[in-house]
Amino acid sequence: MKKFIISTVFAACFSLFGIDITGNGKALADIAIPEKPVSSVRFAAEELQKFIEHMSGVRLDIVSKNSPRKFTNRIHIGYGAVPADKHQFAWRIKAEKNDLYLHGNDREVQIQKGDKRDISEYWSSTPSGTLLAVYQFTDEFLKIRFVRPGDAGIIAPAKKTISVNNVDKEGHPRLVSFH
C-alpha cells in the first residue's frame, strides 16, 4: 500500500511537468496550424492526428492557431521556436508548460504547368522540416514503428493516456537525398 501511494504521488507530480495529449481515452489537447499552412505542414498535422488516433482511439481536432483554446494543452504544428540550424530540413521539438511545438524549415515549391524538369528536382529542394519534426516525435516519443508501407504497416503501442515531458531538441536528417 505504501509503494502504491508513493508511486501515485510520483506519477501525479511527474505529469505536472509534462503535456497531456490524451487522458483515459479523451482528448486533452488539439493540434493548431498556421492560418495558411504550406502543404507539408497540413500533411504533418494530419499525420500526427492519425498516429495519435491509432494509438489511443482519440481523434484530436486540427484548428487554426488563432482559434480560442478548447483545452489547456495545445500541439503547435508548423510555427513556434524556429530551429537554430538553417539546414533546409532542420526541425525542432519543444515542449514547455502547456504547449508542444513541432516545427521546422518549410517552404512551398510550386511546379509550373508545362515545366519539363524532373519532379525529383523539386522534391529534393522542398524544405519540409515540420513534417520531419512530426516523424521524429512519433518515432522517439510515441514509439511508433513502420513495418511496411501504408497504414496497415503502422505499429503503435496502445495507450489511452499520452503525455510528453518537457523537451527541447532539434536536428536534421543525416541523409538528405540520394540520386
Side-chain angles (χ1 to χ4, degrees):
M1 180 67 172
K2 195 175 193 179
K3 285 182 181 178
F4 174 75
I5 292 171
I6 291 170
S7 65
T8 304
V9 170
F10 179 74
C13 290
F14 192 66
S15 70
L16 291 174
F17 301 111
I19 298 167
D20 296 323
I21 297 171
T22 64
N24 204 18
K26 296 189 187 285
L28 298 177
D30 54 18
I31 300 170
I33 60 175
E35 287 291 324
K36 294 181 180 177
V38 297
S39 58
S40 64
V41 168
R42 171 154 290 288
F43 181 68
E46 291 167 355
E47 286 284 272
L48 183 63
Q49 179 187 52
K50 175 177 69 176
F51 296 139
I52 289 174
E53 184 175 16
H54 192 80
M55 289 179 72
S56 66
V58 177
R59 186 172 180 85
L60 302 182
D61 292 333
I62 298 175
V63 300
S64 164
K65 76 175 187 172
N66 297 329
S67 299
R69 285 184 185 242
K70 182 178 173 184
F71 303 101
T72 305
N73 302 321
R74 181 166 269 183
I75 303 169
H76 304 272
I77 304 287
Y79 68 97
V82 177
D85 184 352
K86 300 303 179 201
H87 188 277
Q88 76 177 25
F89 294 107
W91 53 263
R92 186 169 189 186
I93 300 170
K94 183 176 174 97
E96 59 185 6
K97 297 181 185 171
N98 302 85
D99 298 298
L100 171 62
Y101 295 91
L102 302 174
H103 179 76
N105 294 331
D106 299 300
R107 182 173 45 85
E108 196 79 66
V109 174
Q110 299 294 327
I111 298 174
Q112 300 298 320
K113 191 173 183 176
D115 198 335
K116 303 282 188 221
R117 288 185 274 178
D118 184 5
I119 189 76
S120 66
E121 290 178 46
Y122 293 100
W123 177 250
S124 66
S125 66
T126 303
S128 52
T130 295
L131 183 58
L132 293 175
V134 166
Y135 288 144
Q136 182 69 29
F137 175 76
T138 58
D139 177 56
E140 188 173 336
F141 296 95
L142 300 182
K143 305 298 183 203
I144 292 175
R145 302 294 180 250
F146 303 92
V147 295
R148 65 177 175 261
D151 290 350
I154 299 170
I155 303 295
K159 289 184 174 185
K160 294 292 181 194
T161 300
I162 300 171
S163 62
V164 179
N165 296 327
N166 289 344
V167 64
D168 188 358
K169 71 182 303 181
E170 58 184 64
H172 64 270
R174 288 174 276 182
L175 177 64
V176 176
S177 66
F178 59 91
H179 295 278

